[in-house]
Amino acid sequence: LAITFSDPISHAPLNQPLHPTQIYHAIANISIFAILFFLSRRNIRRGTLVVVYMLFYGLLRFTVEFWRGDPRGFLYSFSTSQWISLGLIISAFLLWFIKIRHEPYTEY
């Protein structure tokens, strides 16, 4: 499974087979939406949906960045987006353990 870019405006390496990360992102974001929609219908703690989104999107972005074929800037073998994703994942865990798990359950 590969996509080849031939238009220089794309800013991707030209005429080289690459993973279709745009499709990966689209499918994964639809899956994240489905999970959030399912959770929104449940009796959950206030702020849980935000934490779940932060965690899943951070994991998605961190993983997909390994397959991107364009130069993204690297520091200790991770791209800038991966470092930001790690910060998002850590923030999600901190939010959960410090604030949200002490919130009462809410009913919508």
Side-chain angles (χ1 to χ4, degrees), residues 46-84:
R46 193 170 145 223
T48 301
L49 292 178
V50 173
V51 169
V52 170
Y53 177 74
M54 289 171 62
L55 179 63
F56 283 155
Y57 185 78
L59 290 169
L60 159 70
R61 186 64 189 243
F62 185 83
T63 304
V64 171
E65 281 292 314
F66 284 114
W67 296 312
R68 291 184 62 107
D70 56 340
R72 307 287 295 169
F74 289 95
L75 178 64
Y76 299 112
S77 73
F78 290 146
S79 71
T80 305
S81 297
Q82 286 174 312
W83 284 110
I84 293 170

Side-chain angles (χ1 to χ4, degrees), residues 39 43-52 54-55 88-105:
L39 288 175
N43 187 17
I44 58 175
R45 291 183 168 119
R46 193 170 145 223
T48 301
L49 292 178
V50 173
V51 169
V52 170
M54 289 171 62
L55 179 63
L88 196 61
I89 293 166
I90 292 168
S91 297
F93 280 115
L94 288 175
L95 273 173
W96 177 257
F97 286 111
I98 292 172
K99 173 112 175 83
I100 294 174
R101 70 183 178 128
H102 299 296
E103 288 284 327
Y105 287 93

